[in-house]
């Protein structure tokens, strides 16, 4: 794991632990032994630490957290490095992160490949740089820069790191050769002024001011997260306390984080991010054995808000798009909007003016579907109506070349029902973008009964190319996101009927960490959309919806949202929805006494007695209902693994990453508790059949010990 190579009077400790040279136990042992050996070796006068392969260590081995810790700790290794009587030079390349950067900060000198990056991403894992990173970095950079680097977790490029004093020299040539040359140049020089533990924080006197400012910032930016706050407390300690005491404080703050539920969730999320895009079909086809087609051109059908944003996703990575809208006025409007959105990106420095120009050059608007005959991929983004989509797909099937993939951006409709309109069901799939599509990271890719493995491989690959987090799910009503989120919406509205107000429900869920409560979300997206879908479905089933309707097909129904629609309260766009806004399209939501009156009068007219609904009930009814549905999604194989569901919620539905996702949250609450509460609510609300407990949940909850989340699918599904 660490090779010890002597070249003349220089010992090189080469870390070899692919893929990222994580500081696993054997690496820590190897480094410690190497430093000791080099100090005992009379022929050695300086020591170089370097990474083999693509990078200097990118951090501690995250898989070791949560397991019984093994000595030597990284701090002990680092202290041996700093105490070395022979100069130690860390030679950085790739990404020197977390514990990797800490190794460098224990070293007496740091040189780096000019393309390398450094950083402390621990905060993203709910941790702090616990091997003295929080007390060493401020000694080099000063407090403000250290606070920013450590609480953001952002990577810093080498030239910037040089400017901040983190690095001593940038290297453009052969790193190892240059490191040896550098090492020779520092032999015999005094080391105490190179040992950071011997150096004071130069702006220590200003620590309280920096702390207060940074604390206000992290509380706003990382609401609810404890790691950034502990990072700041530890950095404050670096300035206020003698080094050894500051190190003790850092260790205590680190231990608190290491055992926290937030860190467990964030570490789970780190691996879930990497696992979710790795798709596998029940047939055995997978990312490992199926090649994607190369998509060189795309047509987007429907130039509404969604279609336009989808077009942007492709053109900004250089994939030409034909945007088709039947009405020329709407088309011209869409093209203008796309230009404006890209202009906004230029203003925010996300793209250059040149990139905007290049993107617009590969966008073409058309009013005829016939023009799409030669594209490789079609993404349909018209109104959510099965008949309309079937008509379009039937036409596309005739117009498009046989190899073209036909995908729908439907958010709910069964892909199989769309595919039957074509003679190429193997090439039909869902690509469910989330609004606003050019901003939201999630792409919920949907396969139907006949979708071929190569179609799946292609939509997953194109998702990656356009920078999305792509998760594959099987078709069903609402897929994963909308199917599970429907329970949140339903329960939220039912609780209004029983005693809550929109702001009560939203506040509880936002305090839990959701980016937005369900009523603020509805106001943002517009309640007219939901109304139209409800009316269409009722029409299809020959049902007449009225204010008195309390059940549809035996299921509990609330007409409250319909009342809002009739009042013209469509949400932000009309300046009124579940909340009041200063004017149409204004963002700030104010609780509205008119809504309280509407709800009260609704309850009176239906003879419902209102009661106080406690916060815990709001959490349980919204989230436990969704979690129960999540277990049904798993048992049916709609999602292959819990990570897929959690990633969909994090990137598509604003679930707090520091809680992992609804399924990971369930694992922390405990499946017995979840199951018992689901049963309780099913008893209380038998007309909401989604409360019927999932078989998988029941089975998992029946085990005497908690079944770990990574065994939920493999163990139990096969036994159901
Ligand atoms: C106290 C805490 C201390 C001292 C710490 O150091 S905490 C760890 C701090 N470091 C990090 O958080 C870095 C995490 N890694 C990354 O950000 C990225 O992996 C990368 C920028 C280093 C490289 O990115 P990329 O090239 O895209 O590669 P992947 O992200 O796909 O990673 C490749 C595989 O390596 C696994 N991995 C990466 N980092 C670690 C790690 N620190 N410990 C364990 N495993 C790690 C990653 O999961 C990938 O594995 P597979 O999915 O391929 O199995």
């Amino acid at each position: 794991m660490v090779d010890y190579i002597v070249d003349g009077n220089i010992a090189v400790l080469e870390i070899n632990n692919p893929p990222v040279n994580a500081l696993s136990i054997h690496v820590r042992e190897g480094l410690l032994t190497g430093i000791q050996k080099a100090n005992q070796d009379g022929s050695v006068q300086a020591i170089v630490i370097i990474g083999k392969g693509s990078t200097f260590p990118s951090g501690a081995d995250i898989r070791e957290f949560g397991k019984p810790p093994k000595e030597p700790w990284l701090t002990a290794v680092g202290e041996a490095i700093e105490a070395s009587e022979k100069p130690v030079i860390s030679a950085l390349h790739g990404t020197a992160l977390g514990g990797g950067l800490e190794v460098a900060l224990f070293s007496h000198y740091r040189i780096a490949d000019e393309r390398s990056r450094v950083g402390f991403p621990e905060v993203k894992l709910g941790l702090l740089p616990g091997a003295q990173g929080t007390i060493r970095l401020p000694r080099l950079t000063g407090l403000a820069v250290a606070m920013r680097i450590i609480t953001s977790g952002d990577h810093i490029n080498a030239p910037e790191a040089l400017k901040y004093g983190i690095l001593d020299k940038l290297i453009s040539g052969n790193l190892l050769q240059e490191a040896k040359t550098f090492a020779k140049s520092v032999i015999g020089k005094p080391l105490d002024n190179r040992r950071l533990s011997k150096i004071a924080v130069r702006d220590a006197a200003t620590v309280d001011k920096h702390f207060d400012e940074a604390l206000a910032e992290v509380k706003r930016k990382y609401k609810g997260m404890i790691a950034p706050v502990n990072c700041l407390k530890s950095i404050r300690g670096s300035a206020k306390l003698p080094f050894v005491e500051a190190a003790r404080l850092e260790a205590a703050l680190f231990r608190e984080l290491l055992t926290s539920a937030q860190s467990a969730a964030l570490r789970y999320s780190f691996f879930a991010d990497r696992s979710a895009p790795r798709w596998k079909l029940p047939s055995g086809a997978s990312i490992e054995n199926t090649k994607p087609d190369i998509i060189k051109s795309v047509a987007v059908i429907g130039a509404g808000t969604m279609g336009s944003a989808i077009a942007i996703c492709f053109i900004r990575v250089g994939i030409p798009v034909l945007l088709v809208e039947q009405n020329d006025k709407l088309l011209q409007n869409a093209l203008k909007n796309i230009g404006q959105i890209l202009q906004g990106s230029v203003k925010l420095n996300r793209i250059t003016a040149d990139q905007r120009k290049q993107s617009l050059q590969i966008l073409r608007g058309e009013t005829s579907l016939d023009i799409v005959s030669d594209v490789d991929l079609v993404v349909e983004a018209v109104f959510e109506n099965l008949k309309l989509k079937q008509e379009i797909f039937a036409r596309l099937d005739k117009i498009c070349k046989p190899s073209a993939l036909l995908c729908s951006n439907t958010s709910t409709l069964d892909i199989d029902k769309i595919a039957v309109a074509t003679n190429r069901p193997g090439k039909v799939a869902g690509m469910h973008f989330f609004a606003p599509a050019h901003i939201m990271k999630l792409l919920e890719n949907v396969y139907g009964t006949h979708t071929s493995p190569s179609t799946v491989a292609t939509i997953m690959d194109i998702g990656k190319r356009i920078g999305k987090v792509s998760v594959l799910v099987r078709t069903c009503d609402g897929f994963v996101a909308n199917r599970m989120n429907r329970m949140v919406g339903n329960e939220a509205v039912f609780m209004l009927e029983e005693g809550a107000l929109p702001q009560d429900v939203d506040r509880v869920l936002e305090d839990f960490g959701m980016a937005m409560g369900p009523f603020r979300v509805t106001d943002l997206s517009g309640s007219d959309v939901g109304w139209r879908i409800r009316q269409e479905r009722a029409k299809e089933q020959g049902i007449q919806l009225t204010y008195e309707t309390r059940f549809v097909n035996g299921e509990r129904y609330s007409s409250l949202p319909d009342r809002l629609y009739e009042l013209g309260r469509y949400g932000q766009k009309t300046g009124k929805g579940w909340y009041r806004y200063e004017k149409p399209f204004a963002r700030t939501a104010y609780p509205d006494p008119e809504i309280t009156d509407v709800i009260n009068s609704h309850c009176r007219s239906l003879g419902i007695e209102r009661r106080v609904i406690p916060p815990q009930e709001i959490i349980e009814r919204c989230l436990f209902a969704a979690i129960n549905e999540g277990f049904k999604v798993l048992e049916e194989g709609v999602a292959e693994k819990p990570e897929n569901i959690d990633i969909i919620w994090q990137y598509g539905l604003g679930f707090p990453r520091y809680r992992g996702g609804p399924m990971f949250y369930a694992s922390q609450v405990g499946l017995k508790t979840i199951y018992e509460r689901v049963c309780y609510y099913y008893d209380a609300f038998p007309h909401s059949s989604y409360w019927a407990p999932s078989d998988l949940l029941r089975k998992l909850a029946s085990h005497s010990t908690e079944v770990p989340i990574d065994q939920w699918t493999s163990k139990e599904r096969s036994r159901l």
Side-chain angles (χ1 to χ4, degrees), residues 475-488:
T475 189
C476 68
D477 186 7
F479 318 133
V480 170
N482 284 339
R483 174 170 166 179
M484 287 174 73
N485 203 25
R486 187 168 67 86
M487 281 84 225
V488 179

Side-chain angles (χ1 to χ4, degrees), residues 19-20 58-62 99 102 121-122 125 254 270-271 274 278:
V20 297
S58 299
D61 186 339
I62 303 168
E102 285 173 321
E122 282 86 340
L125 301 167
F254 174 72
F270 175 85
F271 291 110
R274 284 150 183 83
R278 290 191 180 137

Side-chain angles (χ1 to χ4, degrees), residues 19-20 22-23 55 58-63 65 74 95 97-100 102 117 120-122 125 127-131 155 254 270-271 274-275 278:
V20 297
L23 293 156
T55 188
S58 299
D61 186 339
I62 303 168
R63 289 182 203 274
F65 295 132
L74 187 55
T95 44
L97 304 174
E102 285 173 321
R117 286 176 292 144
F120 280 129
E122 282 86 340
L125 301 167
L127 298 171
L128 57 74
H155 296 186
F254 174 72
F270 175 85
F271 291 110
R274 284 150 183 83
S275 146
R278 290 191 180 137

